[in-house]
Amino acid sequence: MTLPFPIAETPDAAEAELGRILFAGQTDFLKGVVAMSGLPPADRTEVCFAGRSNVGKSTLINALTGRKGLARASNTPGRTQEINFFTLADSHYLVDLPGYGYANAPLPVIEKWQRLLKQFLSGRQTLRRAFVLIDARHGIKSVDQEILALLDGAAVTFQCVLTKADKVKARDLDKVLDQVRAALAKHPAAFPEIVLTSSEKGDGIATLRNIIATL
Ligand code: GTP
Ligand code: MG
């Protein structure tokens, strides 16, 4: 019997080529958006990266594009404070979102990001898939559940991406996977595959490129 929510398989050479070609295209920072009125035209395939502060969203975008300094990453949670749009080839937007669940900024500031984040996740027509990043050491927390429920309500397909796989032992990973699978089973908008990644080691990067290229 196959487990529900299997880990996405590494693409074979021919499939990986699709992802490689897309991500060999020109990537650029387009703009940082602080209000829904500032969103760029909804004229191409868009995927976004959501997750708790510090989970590795910006770092993952850098790993996917092979450009270390493209999205600003940092060890300080709350680094990304706007919705950052990156163009990928002429066909895609990659969207780096501010983290949620971060309690160390002035409350009005946090509320402003969180409101914008929620508006974006539930109101962006061309959003093809939301990748929801979950730290492979910690699993799904209650703040994540809130976002997953919002995506269910907006009927935005989301896919769980486990990050920092290099920091977790195989035995601990199995426990986290059980927890993640049980949580995902309750969400109708969950795509039935999990991606296991390490931006540090490169694990899962070709897989994720391929997923985006074949949307
Ligand atoms: P916010 O913008 O604050 O929401 O954070 P973020 O989710 O964009 O996280 P960011 O990419 O800035 O990464 C946070 C920290 O985690 C940085 O110190 C990264 O180097 C580290 N990190 C990200 N991905 C990995 C990974 O795969 N492995 C390891 N070991 N560290 C990682
Ligand atoms: Mg960030």
Side-chain angles (χ1 to χ4, degrees):
M1 200 187 86
T2 43
L3 279 169
F5 301 102
I7 291 175
E9 281 180 31
T10 308
D12 65 29
E15 287 169 340
E17 191 62 5
L18 292 172
R20 195 196 62 76
I21 289 169
L22 176 62
F23 281 85
Q26 173 96 3
T27 48
D28 283 301
F29 173 66
L30 179 67
K31 70 188 298 200
V33 170
V34 294
M36 290 294 278
S37 58
L39 293 177
D43 61 358
R44 57 195 86 185
T45 304
E46 193 166 306
V47 298
C48 71
F49 299 84
R52 292 170 69 209
S53 279
N54 213 43
V55 72
K57 299 174 292 295
S58 302
T59 305
L60 184 62
I61 288 178
N62 293 339
L64 285 167
T65 58
R67 289 184 53 191
K68 263 198 152 59
L70 186 66
R72 286 186 68 195
S74 126
N75 209 6
T76 315
R79 162 57 64 203
T80 308
Q81 305 191 351
E82 301 179 338
I83 297 182
N84 286 323
F85 280 79
F86 300 90
T87 52
L88 170 61
D90 293 323
S91 52
H92 289 67
Y93 287 133
L94 303 177
V95 185
D96 188 14
L97 294 170
Y100 49 77
Y102 172 59
N104 220 346
L107 199 57
V109 175
I110 298 176
E111 283 172 350
K112 193 166 153 257
W113 303 344
Q114 303 303 298
R115 199 162 48 239
L116 177 63
L117 175 72
K118 290 177 182 174
Q119 285 172 339
F120 174 80
L121 287 176
S122 55
R124 181 69 166 166
Q125 285 303 325
T126 43
L127 186 58
R128 275 302 298 282
R129 189 163 300 179
F131 293 104
V132 178
L133 278 55
I134 302 290
D135 191 312
R137 298 167 296 179
H138 306 318
I140 293 182
K141 303 282 184 187
S142 58
V143 275
D144 298 310
Q145 292 282 12
E146 207 183 305
I147 295 295
L148 302 187
L150 180 128
L151 292 165
D152 287 335
V156 173
T157 302
F158 69 83
Q159 185 160 10
C160 177
V161 174
L162 295 181
T163 63
K164 310 192 186 184
D166 56 285
K167 289 202 166 186
V168 68
K169 294 195 193 78
R171 184 173 21 115
D172 298 332
L173 179 64
D174 282 340
K175 278 191 213 125
V176 170
L177 276 170
D178 286 345
Q179 189 263 347
V180 168
R181 286 174 173 136
L184 292 178
K186 301 198 177 95
H187 292 281
F191 187 82
E193 259 181 4
I194 295 168
V195 192
L196 182 62
T197 65
S198 165
S199 296
E200 185 94 2
K201 303 266 185 252
D203 303 355
I205 300 302
T207 308
L208 196 48
R209 284 183 185 144
N210 180 254
I211 289 168
I212 294 169
T214 53
L215 278 175

